[in-house]
Amino acid sequence: MLKKRLIPVLLLQNGLLVRSEAFSIHQIIGDPIHEVGRFNEWSVDELIYLDISRDDSYDLRRDDKKLRGLTSPLTILEAVSRTCFMPLTWGGRIRSVDDMRARISRGADKVTLNSEALRNPELITEGAKVFGNQAMVVSIDARRRPDGQHEVYIAGGNTATGWTAADWAREAERRGAGEILVQSIDRDGAGDGYDLDLISSVAAATTIPVIALGGVGRYEHYVDGIRAGASAVAAANLWHFKELSDRGGKRALAKAGIDIRKV
Amino acid sequence: MGNLGSVFNAFQALGVPAEIVNTPAKLSEATGVVLPGVGAFGDGMRNLRQGGFVEVLDEEVRRKGKPFLGLCLGLQLLATTGLEHGENAGLGWIPGVVRRLTPEHAELRVPHIGWNDVRAVKAGGLYVGLGEVHSYYFVHSFALQPDDLSVVSGFVDYGGEWVASVESDNISATQFHPEKSHKSGLTLLKNWAAHAC
């Protein structure tokens, strides 16, 4: 049967790999080009790259090796896709069908839309018509409100939208999204597990696959995400601070009796 | 779009010389032909026809017997007929119809996206060294139903058994994406290339 998926998320900021905490602290952890081979070797089921840069200054801060000139995220994408033989999702700063085409033609299988999907929801439909629903991932960043509801934020967690995560996920599916990537802003970098209410509310509101993100600190947290209704479980920071994170994650899922791709 | 580049990258990584061609004439110089494809059946056939590829493919693959590998839509186009957005004629190399996936269980969603087990039913060929059951990456809403099941070399279970691959003489094709199926996918492409180069 169809397997549940384990997905590393790589965060790019101004051409560098970063780790993130509560959407506000970003710590540089390396050079994405240098790490491409290692990430592509991981025994995982997909890769998601999110470009969270706020401006156009891409700088690898070094010109001491052959990396010179490798300054734009699209160039990073090209380098990634040359040796990435698993599904690759690319997100960040996508505002038009042309932006999607620029990424898909460079090797992305899917693109994720976040802020722009809320500003211009028609973009989801336009993209789905050209590239298919399966290529449209709508990414939702949500914060828990005191009343227990999860509110969607855009612009890197800075702007509240008034939408609940479940309502916006349902609307995104109606408009042509093929998958939802749901991330808890509160749990980002916290390491104390997914916001399971958030995941289950979004999974219940939709019929498309849901990818859970935000909060994984131990491999067992993946199991909770799947049990809350996610079809795929993702994490970002964990991958940079634990050795053999691919095997560890898969082992925890398999041990819990979840059907995964054996590696 | 999309998987053309990925397929090319996969052959590059395997050290298999490959070229993306825009003109049918180039196919006569090739020792093997790969037809990747994502998108709708009707559009795919229209593109092949308008590009003048249909006659040349017939000549090179069916008459001259060059090794052929169809991937995803490239498998579906081998059928006589496709039922995606109306009825369209396919290449007709494998008698059969391409129909929408109708999994038996309502909770199974279409498109069928993700890694699923393929049960190989033909020894040798594409699955050499891969064992009887292996996972590959699928993204599709339609599937081939061939008139003669003996062409099928692999099945996938998704609320019923669906065709995952066909192998018949020099014609091979997979519904899944070997170029996105990590090491097992690369092994499969290597197996095919061993005959084609």
Side-chain angles (χ1 to χ4, degrees):
Chain A
M1 282 310 299
L2 196 62
K3 315 289 178 190
K4 303 295 181 193
R5 292 167 282 157
L6 176 64
I7 308 177
V9 173
L10 290 319
L11 299 174
L12 298 175
Q13 196 176 49
N14 303 330
L16 293 163
L17 272 171
V18 297
R19 74 174 285 268
S20 165
E21 211 173 302
F23 275 43
S24 52
I25 304 161
H26 296 113
Q27 176 194 354
I28 293 168
I29 51 179
D31 164 354
I33 300 298
H34 185 71
E35 306 278 8
V36 157
R38 185 165 74 91
F39 298 164
N40 288 348
E41 277 295 307
W42 277 335
S43 291
V44 293
D45 302 311
E46 291 187 36
L47 288 180
I48 298 178
Y49 278 80
L50 297 178
D51 174 17
I52 57 169
S53 309
R54 299 285 158 70
D55 55 48
D56 273 310
S57 58
Y58 296 107
D59 176 14
L60 280 182
R61 299 185 188 183
R62 55 202 306 171
D63 51 10
D64 57 332
K65 42 185 180 167
K66 58 188 175 190
L67 301 171
R68 196 201 321 246
L70 218 48
T71 51
S72 91
L74 291 183
T75 313
I76 297 171
L77 167 57
E78 282 173 355
V80 170
S81 61
R82 263 197 291 279
T83 55
C84 177
F85 303 115
M86 59 185 134
L88 175 62
T89 299
W90 199 271
R93 301 148 52 85
I94 296 172
R95 301 192 179 102
S96 65
V97 170
D98 282 343
D99 287 346
M100 296 176 197
R101 185 174 290 114
R103 285 150 184 86
I104 289 172
S105 68
R106 283 172 176 79
D109 299 286
K110 318 180 210 179
V111 291
T112 80
L113 305 177
N114 191 325
S115 303
E116 199 60 23
L118 273 142
R119 294 190 192 112
N120 171 23
E122 190 51 31
L123 187 59
I124 306 170
T125 316
E126 287 169 18
K129 269 190 204 136
V130 179
F131 306 107
N133 303 73
Q134 85 292 335
M136 294 294 118
V137 182
V138 168
S139 166
I140 299 178
D141 298 331
R143 220 176 234 130
R144 186 187 282 266
R145 284 196 310 231
D147 67 1
Q149 294 274 15
H150 293 90
E151 183 171 3
V152 180
Y153 279 70
I154 58 169
N158 286 312
T159 311
T161 63
W163 282 92
T164 67
D167 285 344
W168 171 234
R170 191 181 294 113
E171 174 68 6
E173 176 177 3
R174 193 184 67 78
R175 288 180 177 273
E179 215 162 26
I180 302 285
L181 171 64
V182 60
Q183 167 155 226
S184 159
I185 299 172
D186 316 294
R187 299 296 178 101
D188 178 39
D192 49 4
Y194 292 119
D195 185 331
L196 299 175
D197 295 337
L198 172 63
I199 293 163
S200 59
S201 73
V202 169
T206 53
T207 67
I208 51 180
V210 171
I211 306 168
L213 176 62
V216 172
R218 290 187 289 116
Y219 298 132
E220 291 71 23
H221 290 150
Y222 290 133
V223 176
D224 303 334
I226 296 290
R227 291 197 173 136
S231 297
V233 280
N237 300 337
L238 176 85
W239 292 89
H240 303 297
F241 300 108
K242 279 195 196 244
E243 291 295 317
L244 306 173
S245 316
D246 47 352
R247 285 183 228 173
K250 289 254 169 169
R251 205 177 292 129
L253 288 162
K255 200 173 150 202
I258 292 162
D259 190 14
I260 49 147
R261 181 173 73 103
K262 290 179 190 64
V263 289
Chain B
M1 170 176 281
N3 77 335
L4 204 58
S6 306
V7 173
F8 178 79
N9 286 338
F11 282 120
Q12 289 277 97
L14 290 168
V16 174
E19 191 184 342
I20 297 175
V21 303
N22 300 309
T23 54
K26 287 259 185 184
L27 292 181
S28 54
E29 299 160 21
T31 55
V33 179
V34 183
L35 179 62
V38 286
F41 193 100
D43 291 338
M45 277 310 292
R46 200 169 314 117
N47 289 339
L48 286 182
R49 227 175 273 123
Q50 283 173 357
F53 281 96
V54 173
E55 302 73 27
V56 181
L57 279 170
D58 237 42
E59 170 68 22
E60 299 299 324
V61 179
R62 300 194 77 198
R63 272 187 284 280
K64 291 190 189 159
K66 275 187 188 169
F68 172 91
L69 180 64
L71 303 175
C72 196
L73 183 63
L75 173 146
Q76 298 181 1
L77 294 178
L78 302 178
T80 325
T81 310
L83 298 179
E84 189 174 3
H85 307 307
E87 196 172 319
N88 291 286
L91 290 169
W93 297 357
I94 293 186
V97 180
V98 173
R99 287 199 173 84
R100 194 173 166 80
L101 283 171
T102 48
E104 279 160 26
H105 317 293
E107 76 276 10
L108 294 180
R109 295 161 185 197
V110 175
H112 170 217
I113 303 181
W115 295 84
N116 205 338
D117 287 334
V118 171
R119 184 169 58 84
V121 292
K122 279 192 184 182
L126 294 177
Y127 298 108
V128 168
L130 287 165
E132 203 179 309
V133 177
H134 235 81
S135 304
Y136 301 90
Y137 188 73
F138 288 82
V139 183
H140 63 126
S141 301
F142 286 76
L144 170 68
Q145 295 185 327
D147 295 348
D148 174 8
L149 282 177
S150 73
V151 299
V152 179
S153 67
F155 288 98
V156 61
D157 178 5
Y158 193 62
E161 292 248 284
W162 303 93
V163 170
S165 63
V166 293
E167 290 177 62
S168 174
D169 300 323
N170 59 319
I171 296 167
S172 306
T174 66
Q175 179 59 65
F176 53 86
H177 289 269
E179 78 281 9
K180 287 287 165 182
S181 297
H182 222 212
K183 284 170 188 159
S184 14
L186 290 180
T187 302
L188 187 144
L189 290 175
K190 199 167 149 194
N191 288 340
W192 179 79
H195 298 285
C197 299

